[in-house]
Amino acid sequence: MVRSTWLRPGEATMENSIIFIGLWIVCGVATIVAAVLAHRSRAARYVGRVAVGALFIVGGALLHIIDLAVGATYSGFADPAYFPVVTDTWQAVVVPNAVLFIGLLAVFEAAVGVLALCGGRWTQLGYAGVIAFYLALWLFGWMETVWVLLMLAPMLVLLRAERGAALAARVEPKRTADVGP
């Protein structure tokens, strides 16, 4: 079992990894840039899909699987929460059942990540899941709130761009053979 000596017992270990922090930053910046260009560029929408997919599959689901494999309980995660009820509920419900609840979180994050990569309505569904996740995440403290404030608008823009592209594809006139005199 791999454990770092500078972390408290039961604390998530990989969230302090420079690799995962770098992945979150790269995916976050790529998502923001993709959102800025998404209405004009199919390639930007693809970059957005890959950035969101990688963030949630690797930076979310895989991170949690690794943490659970090394025995993390996530006991300190909700400590910076704004409302005591969030911290108390986390400690009473999630911590004693970390494998179940963090496991379900990993499944959710993997699912929205895969959906984001799929294109079409599946991407829109994945983005809706990411947006819902962000709307709940801010409750857990200032660092999560900063991330949500940075990422929520780009996610809404990417969702709107995907919807617009899907509508444009349906409205595009079909070419027919010229028949005439």
Side-chain angles (χ1 to χ4, degrees):
M1 191 178 284
V2 177
R3 290 235 186 228
S4 176
T5 56
W6 52 275
L7 294 172
R8 290 177 279 167
E11 188 174 307
T13 57
M14 293 306 296
E15 69 186 24
N16 296 317
S17 162
I18 191 71
I19 294 168
F20 281 102
I21 293 169
L23 175 74
W24 295 330
I25 291 169
V26 168
C27 288
V29 169
T31 300
I32 292 166
V33 171
V36 169
L37 303 172
H39 286 289
R40 295 186 301 265
S41 167
R42 176 183 288 174
R45 288 194 310 275
Y46 290 154
V47 168
R49 291 176 190 173
V50 170
V52 172
L55 178 63
F56 275 80
I57 295 168
V58 179
L62 179 62
L63 168 96
H64 296 310
I65 290 167
I66 292 169
D67 277 345
L68 289 174
V70 299
T73 63
Y74 289 78
S75 60
F77 179 76
D79 290 351
Y82 297 114
F83 307 105
V85 68
V86 174
T87 304
D88 296 343
T89 303
W90 185 271
Q91 293 297 331
V93 177
V94 176
V95 173
N97 304 294
V99 172
L100 172 65
F101 287 109
I102 302 303
L104 288 172
L105 175 62
V107 169
F108 171 79
E109 289 181 329
V112 297
V114 168
L115 288 170
L117 294 170
C118 288
R121 289 182 185 215
W122 295 115
T123 295
Q124 294 173 42
L125 181 61
Y127 285 175
V130 168
I131 291 165
F133 176 80
Y134 286 159
L135 289 174
L137 184 64
W138 73 270
L139 293 168
F140 289 92
W142 72 269
M143 195 176 318
E144 288 77 8
T145 301
V146 169
W147 181 260
V148 169
L149 290 173
L150 289 172
M151 299 306 293
L152 194 56
M155 288 307 307
L156 291 166
V157 170
L158 285 172
L159 176 59
R160 184 171 184 211
E162 290 288 346
R163 291 181 55 107
L167 289 173
R170 278 190 242 138
V171 175
E172 228 172 74
K174 304 212 187 273
R175 295 190 176 173
T176 58
D178 289 332
V179 282

